Amino acid sequence: MLSNALSAALPPVNDTGNFLHHMPLRPWRGTKIVATLGPSSNGLSDVCDLAIAGVDVFRLNFSHGSHADHQQRLQWVREAENRVGRPLGALLDLQGPKLRVGRLVAPMALGEGDELLLVFGEQQAQAVDPIPVPHEEIFHALEVGHQLLVDDGKLRFTVLSNDGIQVRIRSEVAGRLQERKGLNLPDSVLPMPALTAKDLEDLAFGLALGVDWIALSFVQSEVDVMQLRELVAGRAGLIAKIEKPSAVQRLEAILEASDAVMIARGDLGVELPAEDVPGVQRRITQLAREMGKPVIVATQMLESMIESPTPTRAEASDVATAVYDGVDAVMLSAESASGRYPIEAVRMMARIIERVESDPRQQRSMDTVAPRVQANATDAIGAAVRVVAQTVSLAAAVTYTASGASALRVAHERPHAPLIGLTPNTQTARKLALVWGVRPVVSRDAMDVADMVQLARISVENLCPPALGRTFAIVAGMPFGTPGATNMLRLVEQ
């Protein structure tokens, strides 16, 4: 726990009146862990155990559960935050549009080369009727030669014709077509918004609760993100989920419009050939890091731990690859939401991260990405911190930040030092829980430079192991409390 001196130096300032005053010393990790809450992690003690095991951000998956369920889970996250003594982020993941086959009289056995007709509708009246699809947009988007995938790609069809009323398709594999199975259109850009009526209700509910991040599903272009930004109006950070080929094609523009990006390999792996996904993952990671946007790798990272207490060697390598590439966070989905071993999955992920980050080759691997630098003081100082950390053994680089921008910019450089983000804004601290290497701490504003040095010194003494030394860097803006005014780098030796 932190000393009484730190408690006195950093009085209550957040919107709940509960200062996070006892951040425990733990191994420093650059890569953060996101975990999904669900039936397997459905109580305050579970959430606390997950946070202690290493979770930094909790995901609320609005594809499942009621508003009451998610409200209760967010309450547990906020209570766990005070119990474990550090800010925890909350991520609302919107469901997005779900395309499905309509109701069938009975499942259909298909052979390779069989031809079918699709029509707009909800319910098949007779078994000999065309296949109903309750999404009119599909009939405007499909073109001859396009692919249509059903049930996570288990069934594949090619479009033979489309007159706007009926679509004729050919089955490319044998299989069994069942009602209400999901549809994917990898070659098509659908004339439909990324936000459904359900998403709008969920968004308003989540913003009223005070979530820190909003993840937008099935982004097709930057326009989807810009529409969400108008609705959110700065109340949360925006994460664009990349899960469609059209989003990959518009990647840079989508990243420019977003605050962070998630490589959602579930649907992305359905709509792209499996052999293309690793290259696309690396491309997204590299571009996000160049642009200074936090990047999350998600889906099937430790999938076997849904049923097994240990992962496969391939899964461990998958997590390690993302860490070697310098991603901001790796994510657990069903492993923590509905699996049998949620705590073990988090502990395993934390151990993999810590082992990889202790490998000198990991830093060299991250150094292969050169961040883009803007011609301003914030970027110049962020780049300077990296050079200082390479030259001098730093216990930490401490940033004073109201909006989180200066901490994000220093983290963008992936310096060879732990990062501490001191902020008077509780939501900023919670958002920074997602950012590579940053340990966020809620603090009051410094009164003057001497006070600033003292606050930073206390944080370093209590959060950083003595083995790291006691020399630290401070990044701040003058005058104090002015957002976006990062203009000072000070090296403190003691």
Side-chain angles (χ1 to χ4, degrees):
M1 293 187 180
L2 295 191
S3 65
N4 292 332
L6 181 58
S7 297
L10 306 177
V13 291
N14 68 24
D15 53 2
T16 64
N18 297 317
F19 173 60
L20 308 177
H21 63 280
H22 56 287
M23 291 183 68
L25 190 66
R26 64 172 185 156
W28 179 80
R29 281 193 284 106
T31 310
K32 303 299 185 68
I33 296 176
V34 181
T36 306
L37 293 179
S40 293
S41 46
N42 211 32
L44 175 58
S45 62
D46 292 336
V47 175
C48 288
D49 288 345
L50 289 168
I52 292 168
V55 175
D56 300 285
V57 177
F58 287 93
R59 172 178 174 249
L60 307 175
N61 182 6
F62 273 62
S63 294
H64 306 285
S66 66
H67 281 184
D69 293 333
H70 294 301
Q71 182 173 5
Q72 178 64 80
R73 287 169 184 154
L74 182 58
Q75 182 178 339
W76 289 330
V77 172
R78 297 310 187 213
E79 292 179 15
E81 181 177 65
N82 287 314
R83 292 197 182 191
V84 303
R86 59 187 171 88
L88 300 171
L91 188 163
L92 188 166
D93 197 335
L94 296 169
Q95 175 177 289
K98 293 292 186 183
L99 306 180
R100 298 186 184 279
V101 175
R103 300 286 183 185
L104 303 179
V105 172
M108 298 177 60
L110 299 176
E112 183 179 348
D114 288 356
E115 295 186 9
L116 303 171
L117 282 178
L118 306 180
V119 295
F120 175 63
E122 294 278 353
Q123 176 76 47
Q124 191 182 43
Q126 304 178 72
V128 295
D129 288 350
I131 307 302
V133 176
H135 309 285
E136 194 171 10
E137 298 87 352
I138 286 178
F139 297 87
H140 299 299
L142 287 174
E143 299 177 7
V144 174
H146 280 193
Q147 279 196 314
L148 178 69
L149 310 177
V150 180
D151 194 7
D152 290 335
K154 296 182 179 67
L155 297 176
R156 293 188 290 108
F157 301 91
T158 300
V159 176
L160 301 178
S161 65
N162 180 5
D163 62 8
I165 299 174
Q166 293 184 329
V167 176
R168 181 174 293 277
I169 58 176
R170 180 182 64 238
S171 177
E172 301 301 334
V173 295
R176 186 177 177 84
L177 178 62
Q178 301 182 72
E179 66 179 16
R180 304 300 296 162
K181 291 299 182 181
L183 298 173
N184 291 84
L185 284 68
D187 303 321
S188 310
V189 176
L190 290 167
M192 63 191 305
L195 289 165
T196 66
K198 177 185 185 307
D199 293 330
L200 292 172
E201 292 180 5
D202 292 343
L203 175 64
F205 181 76
L207 290 173
L209 289 180
V211 297
D212 309 300
W213 291 94
I214 304 289
L216 181 62
S217 297
F218 299 104
V219 172
Q220 296 189 99
S221 76
E222 65 278 13
V223 174
D224 296 327
V225 183
M226 290 187 287
Q227 290 172 344
L228 177 62
R229 188 170 294 282
E230 289 183 9
L231 296 171
V232 172
R235 290 172 286 175
L238 306 187
I239 301 173
K241 294 173 65 176
I242 307 299
E243 47 198 335
K244 294 187 69 63
S246 56
V248 176
Q249 294 167 8
R250 302 284 304 168
L251 183 59
E252 185 155 358
I254 289 171
L255 281 169
E256 191 65 45
S258 307
D259 299 311
V261 63
M262 180 187 294
I263 308 171
R265 301 181 303 178
D267 279 273
L268 187 64
V270 171
E271 300 210 2
L272 287 175
E275 62 271 20
D276 289 350
V277 174
V280 169
Q281 175 177 317
R282 182 153 286 182
R283 175 187 166 195
I284 297 170
T285 298
Q286 181 170 330
L287 185 57
R289 285 198 49 208
E290 288 177 3
M291 297 176 67
K293 306 285 184 171
V295 54
I296 308 164
V297 175
T299 315
Q300 296 180 331
M301 300 221 77
L302 297 177
E303 184 84 354
S304 66
M305 291 194 74
I306 296 172
E307 297 293 339
S308 170
T310 58
T312 66
R313 306 303 181 267
E315 289 166 343
S317 294
D318 182 39
V319 175
T321 296
V323 178
Y324 274 112
D325 286 343
V327 302
D328 290 76
V330 286
M331 192 176 99
L332 297 169
S333 298
E335 301 96 327
S336 59
S338 57
R340 296 176 61 187
Y341 303 97
I343 303 298
E344 291 83 354
V346 174
R347 288 173 178 161
M348 175 57 68
M349 188 164 270
R351 289 201 300 272
I352 294 169
I353 293 170
E354 289 161 13
R355 185 61 57 88
V356 171
E357 291 183 346
S358 68
D359 182 351
R361 290 171 294 185
Q362 191 257 353
Q363 186 69 51
R364 292 198 295 270
S365 178
M366 290 197 301
D367 289 346
T368 60
V369 176
R372 299 180 185 180
V373 177
Q374 302 290 326
N376 58 49
T378 300
D379 276 18
I381 288 174
V385 170
R386 185 167 186 256
V387 175
V388 169
Q390 289 174 332
T391 308
V392 179
S393 179
L394 291 181
V398 182
T399 62
Y400 284 83
T401 180
S403 66
S406 58
L408 182 62
R409 185 59 189 82
V410 173
H412 181 198
E413 292 286 343
R414 301 296 192 264
H416 301 210
L419 308 179
I420 297 174
L422 294 182
T423 178
N425 187 318
T426 304
Q427 187 179 37
T428 295
R430 290 166 175 163
K431 287 172 67 176
L432 288 174
L434 182 67
V435 177
W436 184 93
V438 178
R439 288 189 179 182
V441 178
V442 179
S443 167
R444 61 170 169 79
D445 279 330
M447 295 178 289
D448 52 34
V449 173
D451 188 35
M452 175 187 69
V453 171
Q454 177 64 7
L455 292 175
R457 177 181 289 111
I458 294 170
S459 296
V460 171
E461 288 175 352
N462 285 277
L463 295 179
C464 299
L468 294 176
R470 282 293 172 258
T471 300
F472 58 92
I474 298 175
V475 173
M478 302 289 285
F480 295 124
T482 305
T486 304
N487 55 16
M488 187 192 78
L489 170 61
R490 177 165 179 164
L491 197 62
V492 179
E493 297 180 340
Q494 52 180 350

